[in-house]
Amino acid sequence: MAGALLALLPLGYLVVRTAEAGDRVWGILARPGTLELVGRSLALVVTVTALCLVIGVGMAALVTRTTLPGRRTVAVLLALPLAVPSYVAAFAWVAAAPWARGFVGATLVLTACTYPYVYLPVVAAMRSIDPAQEEVARSLGRAPWHTFLTVTVRQVWPAAASGALLVALYTLSDFGAVSLLQFDAFTRVIHTSYRASFDRTPAAVLSLLLVLLTVLIALGERRSRRGLEQTRLGSGVSRRSEPLRLGPLATTGAAAAVLGVLAVGLVFPVASLVYWFVTGLSAGIDVERLVTSTGTTLLLALLGAVVTMAFAVPIGVLVARHRSRVSSAIELGAWAGHALPGIVVALALVFFGVRVAQPIYQRTPLLLIAYAVLFLPAGVGAVRAAVAVSSTRVEEVARSLGSSPLEVLRRVTLPLAAPGVAAGTALVLLTIMKELPATLLLRPTGANTLATSLWTETGVAAYAAAAPYALALVAIAVVPTLWLMHAQGRLAEVDEGADGPGGGGADGPVDIVAPQPGPLQRSGV
């Protein structure tokens, strides 16, 4: 409950500011520019989400269901764009290709940076699903593509939809990329409104409208999963499906698609950063500032991940094991907080710090609270998915032997959910490293992270001076990205089971399939 209330704190600030406006609210909403703003933002969200679904599911199928050469290496490389912050990618494109602005540029950058949110959970789901249904479909004469679209995609849709929800919310709340690319989405307009006037009411009204859109998107994602989610109560089968053998022409096409995705999402941004880094070597690099910014980034990310997961674990367990209107409201509250752009969360917490919590104003605890508000859903989703996919029978046995609920949680539930918790921690750590607007406003006086140092230099078009901070940020972000992939693999292995006594195979326990609600199935993202 405390975590949900914390996530709703900025929303409470927006409600208060909006209520103070009275009749002005309708005037703000009725402006022609407001409808255009909604249309532009939704068009960006729909386009980016659709592209991420196509790319994420398609790439996951290539590395898990085909004989694509080097698919193990490709599987790792396709996840690495997650380590590139959207504003870093936008900086790389703007510095090298000034034409990459507006809707096209924002779509290109956000798609390249966020498709791993779909790709990673779908890879985990495809590795863990039973291949029997696909084999039966093919034995009945269905072509491989028909089987994939009608059977495989249906089985992994809950994971894909959960990833798509993250993409949509990320796109709605992104500030850095749309600002650098000069696309007037919600976050850029809200930020401009805050800075252009002492009157915060228009920005508060637009922020509440953004929250409403987010809740509607979250409800739509939940409805899209209804009746499709499955979970095993036994260990399932240990074998995997036979990969589809690609002919020379299909192999060439698949390789071209993979190279195209990697070129846009990884190779070009990194090459652009290296170019500007080399260009700036002649002017020298402020090594002391670079090292200090890196250390501050790591420290704040670690502290933020610990605080966020401390709130996420109880909420994730609650919504996975005790479905009720109260738990659903708590879950939606956490997602609504995630919808707020970082600039709005930061200003709400400035108001809170000045009025209520003066001792922590402009200090690290207030910044950690902002991180928890912004990234709580990633942790909750990971814990919820890991707990929901594990059987309740072991917990029931433990309680029947006299263990208290807290002992069952500590000794049974959390150990079973450990791979998902690890994946959630890695994802939270990664997103905190990349966070920009809240860090800009709430960081302790004199403290600079890699993101804020990068933003300072790009604000004056000092691309060569900004490149070292961008490269350092990408380099350290690779670590939690690989950690996330490792945790995903562990989660898939736990879900699949193993041969041997009590394991899978033909003589293992009966595989029971039952409906199981949850925003993130098996994926841990």
Side-chain angles (χ1 to χ4, degrees), residues 289-303 364 367 371 432 439 443-444 446-450 452 476:
R289 183 184 176 193
L290 178 62
V291 172
T292 302
S293 298
T294 302
T296 303
T297 300
L298 292 173
L299 177 62
L300 290 177
L302 289 171
L303 292 175
T364 301
L367 179 58
Y371 289 153
I432 290 177
T439 308
R443 69 188 189 276
N448 284 302
T449 65
L450 291 171
T452 60
I476 65 172

Side-chain angles (χ1 to χ4, degrees), residues 25-307:
V25 173
W26 300 111
I28 295 170
L29 293 176
R31 293 174 182 174
T34 301
L35 182 60
E36 294 176 4
L37 176 62
V38 173
R40 284 195 303 271
S41 298
L42 288 180
L44 182 64
V45 169
V46 171
T47 304
V48 171
T49 304
L51 289 173
C52 286
L53 277 171
V54 172
I55 295 172
V57 175
M59 294 298 106
L62 286 177
V63 300
T64 61
R65 287 292 192 270
T66 71
T67 57
L68 179 72
R71 58 185 179 276
R72 290 177 181 268
T73 303
V74 169
V76 175
L77 292 176
L78 285 170
L80 291 184
L82 194 63
V84 182
S86 59
Y87 53 87
V88 171
F91 153 64
W93 279 94
V94 168
W99 55 265
R101 300 178 188 270
F103 180 82
V104 173
T107 299
L108 179 70
V109 168
L110 290 173
T111 300
C113 293
T114 58
Y115 80 82
Y117 286 120
V118 176
Y119 165 76
L120 284 172
V122 173
V123 166
M126 285 188 176
R127 286 175 175 167
S128 62
I129 61 176
D130 190 339
Q133 295 185 38
E134 301 171 44
E135 293 168 354
V136 169
R138 287 197 295 268
S139 71
L140 294 176
R142 289 190 181 183
W145 278 108
H146 192 198
T147 299
F148 176 75
L149 293 175
T150 59
V151 179
T152 309
V153 171
R154 180 179 176 85
Q155 288 180 293
V156 303
W157 177 251
S162 299
L165 176 60
L166 287 177
V167 171
L169 295 184
Y170 186 100
T171 304
L172 266 181
S173 61
D174 178 80
F175 166 72
V178 295
S179 295
L180 284 173
L181 296 166
Q182 299 176 4
F183 178 73
D184 284 333
F186 260 108
T187 49
R188 187 167 189 251
V189 172
I190 290 170
H191 178 256
T192 302
S193 178
Y194 268 117
R195 297 194 62 179
S197 172
F198 288 105
D199 183 9
R200 310 301 190 197
T201 301
V205 173
L206 292 177
S207 298
L208 275 180
L209 182 58
L210 179 57
V211 173
L212 176 61
L213 290 176
T214 300
V215 172
L216 292 177
I217 290 173
L219 291 174
E221 183 269 344
R222 176 176 294 185
R223 183 176 295 274
S224 74
R225 292 182 284 102
R226 186 169 297 173
L228 292 178
E229 297 195 353
Q230 299 175 340
T231 184
R232 296 183 192 150
L233 300 183
S235 60
V237 294
S238 59
R239 66 186 179 88
R240 293 181 178 177
S241 63
E242 287 294 324
L244 176 65
R245 295 193 174 277
L246 300 177
L249 184 61
T251 299
T252 302
V258 170
L259 290 176
V261 171
L262 290 177
V264 174
L266 187 63
V267 176
F268 181 84
V270 173
S272 178
L273 296 180
V274 171
Y275 167 78
W276 285 107
F277 175 77
V278 173
T279 301
L281 284 178
S282 59
I285 297 174
D286 190 343
V287 177
E288 182 180 356
R289 183 184 176 193
L290 178 62
V291 172
T292 302
S293 298
T294 302
T296 303
T297 300
L298 292 173
L299 177 62
L300 290 177
L302 289 171
L303 292 175
V306 170
V307 171

Side-chain angles (χ1 to χ4, degrees), residues 14 43 64 82 131 147 150 154 156 172 182 238 248 253 301 318 323 340 358 362 389 420 426 441 523 525:
L14 295 179
T64 61
L82 194 63
T147 299
T150 59
R154 180 179 176 85
V156 303
L172 266 181
Q182 299 176 4
S238 59
L318 175 68
R323 299 301 300 174
L340 294 172
Q358 183 66 36
Q362 289 189 325
V389 82
L441 291 184
S523 66
V525 174

